[in-house]
């Protein structure tokens, strides 16, 4: 068997309903963006799952390193004053 | 401790893992956390998943062949449209699963080659022939029914991309089983000849369907480790029993009998007891000596070889367009 040239990989994002953001659903292999869209339609929307599809070359995605998630997201854990419940408002004032 | 006791059944060089990382990984598994592609994982976990997910993907792809045989011979337009849609779904299932396997660092080309060279296995069930239209009914009812039994617990499997692929697949499988059972129902309500055809198909598909769950727990090489890592949630025998319990009453509703003289309802446990499975047959079929192994592999190889020029041309065309656009951009600057 002749060694084949690898087919580029694309990540697929689908907007399932108006008002919702595109969500990652999986990936497809295709030689170009147009064929990636066709493959994504056939693979991921056979039952009306989508109103819109994005395909993005997988190689274009930069991801954070899961091993560094502790230091990367540490600031969110220590800054409790970012949450409304941090502030004391007298009950008489009512809902705020 | 499996930093030492790595699963030797999974081929590949033994890897000595960092015990601290293994402990953290095990704690995540115990806490029902999903493992994601870039997370640290023991090499044996990765290999087990690549083997299981790719085997699953190959089964979906090869599984298109026995049913594909009947698309042009379906008895009505309604049946033809349904069968075409089902076979297309199976192709989709294969693709979701290949994509999930690829997140573990194996390429589509490698996976494809493993199937075509016979290095990778696929489900034994697809090496049986589809002799009559009733076989299409039996495949939907029994084969997809058994697949559903296997796949529902896999929606909670510990590896995130595999679990998500299984959720999509399970949503689509229900139609497959129902269309198959409806075919059986129609045949069983038809002429005596049609009903006999349904019975004949059940006689041939029943035992191979039970084999789909794999060897008995006592002989299953991979079950224990896979359960520990929550890749599997139930053992082969547990799933097989669930399948028998669910399926036998459906067969009786059709007015059919099962080809097992020992099949009986056990009042004390509420389970259907069944006779011994011919594991020699299972091993033979898995080793490549089933009725259709050679035909299936030949069909896959031919399809792959005959599509090579299309893949090649599409890549060259994409590259040509890319270069042309680049040149136009430079010219415009
Ligand atoms: Fe499937
Ligand atoms: Fe199916």
């Amino acid at each position: 068997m002749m060694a084949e040239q690898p087919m580029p990989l694309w990540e697929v994002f689908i907007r399932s309903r108006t008002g919702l953001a595109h969500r990652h659903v999986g990936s497809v292999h295709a030689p170009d963006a147009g064929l990636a869209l066709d493959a994504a339609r056939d693979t991921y929307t056979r039952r009306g799952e989508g109103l819109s599809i994005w395909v993005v070359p997988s190689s274009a995605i930069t991801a954070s390193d899961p091993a560094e998630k502790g230091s990367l997201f540490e600031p969110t854990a220590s800054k409790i004053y970012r949450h409304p419940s941090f502030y004391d408002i007298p009950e008489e004032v009512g809902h705020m | 401790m499996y930093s030492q006791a790595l699963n030797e059944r999974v081929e590949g060089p033994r890897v000595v893992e960092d015990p601290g990382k293994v402990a953290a990984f095990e704690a995540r598994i115990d806490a029902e956390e999903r493992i994601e592609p870039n997370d640290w994982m023991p090499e044996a976990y990765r290999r087990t998943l690549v083997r299981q997910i790719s085997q699953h993907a190959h089964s979906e792809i090869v599984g298109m062949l026995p049913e594909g045989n009947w698309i042009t011979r379906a008895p009505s337009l309604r049946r033809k449209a349904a069968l075409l849609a089902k076979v297309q779904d199976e192709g989709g299932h294969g693709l979701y699963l290949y994509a999930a396997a690829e997140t573990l660092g194996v390429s589509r080309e490698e996976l494809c080659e493993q199937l075509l060279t016979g290095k990778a296995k696929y489900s034994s069930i697809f090496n049986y022939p589809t002799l009559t239209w009733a076989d299409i009914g039996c495949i939907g009812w029994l084969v997809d029914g058994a697949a559903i039994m296997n796949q529902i617990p896999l929606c909670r499997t510990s590896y995130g991309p595999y679990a998500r692929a299984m959720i999509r697949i399970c949503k689509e499988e229900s139609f497959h089983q129902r269309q198959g059972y409806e075919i059986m129902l129609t045949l069983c309500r038809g002429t005596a000849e049609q009903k006999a055809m349904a019975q004949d198909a059940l006689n041939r598909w029943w035992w191979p369907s039970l084999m789909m769950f794999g060897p008995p727990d006592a002989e299953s090489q991979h079950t224990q480790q896979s359960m520990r890592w929550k890749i599997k949630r139930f053992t082969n025998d547990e799933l097989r029993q669930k399948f028998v319990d669910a399926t036998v009453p459906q067969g009786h509703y059709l007015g059919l009998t099962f080809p097992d003289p020992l099949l009986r309802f056990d009042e004390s446990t509420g389970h259907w007891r069944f006779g011994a499975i011919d594991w020699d047959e299972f091993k033979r079929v898995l080793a490549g000596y089933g009725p259709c192994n050679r035909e299936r592999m030949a069909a896959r190889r031919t399809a792959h070889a005959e599509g090579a020029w299309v893949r090649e041309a599409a890549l060259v065309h994409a590259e040509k367009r890319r270069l042309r656009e680049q040149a136009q951009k430079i010219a415009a600057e």
Side-chain angles (χ1 to χ4, degrees):
Chain A
M1 205 180 315
M2 202 183 70
E4 285 209 30
Q5 211 189 322
M7 195 59 84
L9 185 64
W10 304 76
E11 297 305 317
V12 180
F13 298 81
I14 290 176
R15 183 203 297 288
S16 56
R17 277 191 291 122
T18 331
L20 293 183
H22 285 73
R23 229 182 101 205
H24 183 245
V25 295
S27 51
V28 293
H29 287 273
D32 60 37
L35 286 170
L37 270 181
D38 290 347
R41 187 211 49 189
D42 290 348
T43 309
Y44 293 104
T45 65
R46 288 192 301 283
R47 288 174 177 78
E49 293 95 331
L51 299 174
S52 159
I53 306 177
W54 290 347
V55 289
V56 179
S58 304
S59 57
I61 291 177
T62 306
S64 65
D65 182 353
E68 281 165 18
K69 68 169 181 265
S71 57
L72 189 61
F73 300 111
E74 186 277 331
T76 47
S78 61
K79 291 175 179 57
I80 51 168
Y81 45 84
R82 282 178 172 167
H83 297 278
S85 54
F86 180 75
Y87 302 92
D88 292 324
I89 305 289
E91 213 152 288
E92 304 92 273
V93 179
H95 175 74
M96 185 179 278
Chain B
M1 276 305 295
Y2 47 72
S3 44
Q4 284 93 42
L6 268 178
N7 191 343
E8 279 135 356
R9 268 93 45 166
V10 183
E11 54 188 286
R14 279 173 66 106
V15 177
V16 180
E17 305 282 14
D18 174 339
K21 284 184 174 172
V22 172
F25 173 82
E26 286 184 357
R28 294 189 62 197
I29 296 275
D30 292 342
E32 294 290 331
E33 267 185 55
R34 291 289 172 272
I35 308 302
E36 294 297 338
N38 296 322
D39 293 350
W40 187 89
M41 60 186 85
E43 196 47 36
Y45 178 82
R46 182 187 303 276
R47 280 186 207 144
T48 303
L49 277 169
V50 168
R51 189 194 54 224
Q52 180 170 335
I53 301 172
S54 61
Q55 225 172 72
H56 197 158
H58 300 325
S59 302
E60 302 282 356
I61 298 298
V62 178
M64 297 164 82
L65 297 171
E67 288 179 295
N69 279 342
W70 279 90
I71 292 174
T72 56
R73 293 178 285 166
S76 68
L77 191 56
R78 181 178 185 272
R79 295 287 185 217
K80 184 172 180 165
L83 184 58
L84 194 56
K86 179 190 188 289
V87 172
Q88 192 190 9
D89 273 355
E90 305 301 4
H93 296 175
L95 295 181
Y96 309 154
L97 288 162
Y98 281 133
E102 287 170 68
T103 65
L104 291 158
V106 57
S107 75
R108 178 75 59 96
E109 287 76 17
E110 282 172 79
L111 293 171
C112 186
E113 191 173 305
Q114 286 169 2
L115 173 66
L116 298 181
T117 57
K119 189 175 170 247
K121 299 257 180 287
Y122 56 89
S123 179
S124 57
I125 194 79
F126 300 118
N127 290 315
Y128 291 87
T130 40
L131 303 178
T132 73
W133 173 248
D135 290 38
I136 300 306
C138 265
I139 289 183
W141 171 38
L142 301 175
V143 176
D144 288 85
I148 290 170
M149 261 327 154
N150 247 315
Q151 289 169 349
I152 285 175
L154 287 175
C155 294
R156 295 188 298 121
T157 195
S158 59
Y159 187 57
Y162 192 24
R164 291 191 285 276
M166 291 320 306
I167 290 168
R168 290 191 72 87
I169 289 176
C170 284
K171 275 189 198 154
E172 298 179 350
E173 286 293 356
S174 162
F175 133 61
H176 300 178
Q177 193 184 19
R178 289 171 66 104
Q179 67 90 36
Y181 193 74
E182 198 194 78
I183 290 172
M184 294 301 280
L185 206 53
T186 306
L187 289 170
C188 291
R189 286 173 178 166
T191 63
E193 222 181 332
Q194 286 168 326
K195 188 165 180 186
M197 200 188 207
Q199 181 65 60
D200 165 65
L202 174 56
N203 292 348
R204 285 182 288 109
W205 287 93
W206 177 244
W207 290 110
S209 299
L210 296 191
M211 293 175 199
M212 281 178 72
F213 296 92
D217 294 348
E219 285 166 41
S220 177
Q221 296 181 352
H222 311 298
T223 292
Q224 219 186 357
Q225 183 66 89
S226 289
M227 300 271 289
R228 174 70 190 84
W229 279 333
K230 296 187 179 158
I231 294 172
K232 261 181 101 127
R233 299 270 177 175
F234 295 97
T235 70
N236 297 351
D237 287 335
E238 284 167 346
L239 290 168
R240 188 167 11 248
Q241 186 63 56
K242 270 176 185 262
F243 173 73
V244 172
D245 290 342
T247 309
V248 169
Q250 295 165 355
H252 290 160
Y253 181 83
L254 293 171
L256 299 177
T257 59
F258 288 84
D260 178 359
L262 297 177
L263 188 72
R264 64 175 179 86
F265 188 69
D266 182 348
E267 295 281 355
S268 64
T269 60
H271 292 299
W272 284 90
R273 294 280 160 237
F274 50 95
I277 294 171
D278 181 357
W279 292 113
D280 286 339
E281 174 179 327
F282 175 73
K283 282 175 200 151
R284 257 193 331 270
V285 174
L286 217 55
Y289 304 105
C292 299
N293 296 57
R294 257 179 292 170
E295 191 184 324
R296 301 288 182 244
M297 289 309 297
R300 282 311 310 151
R301 286 194 193 113
T302 306
H304 188 76
E306 289 180 352
W309 72 269
V310 180
R311 294 189 295 276
E312 206 179 311
L315 280 168
V316 171
H317 181 66
E319 179 64 5
K320 192 178 80 183
R321 281 225 318 236
R322 194 186 64 80
L323 291 173
R324 190 184 294 154
E325 274 163 33
Q326 210 173 38
Q328 279 170 352
K329 229 162 128 188
I330 292 167
E333 271 165 10

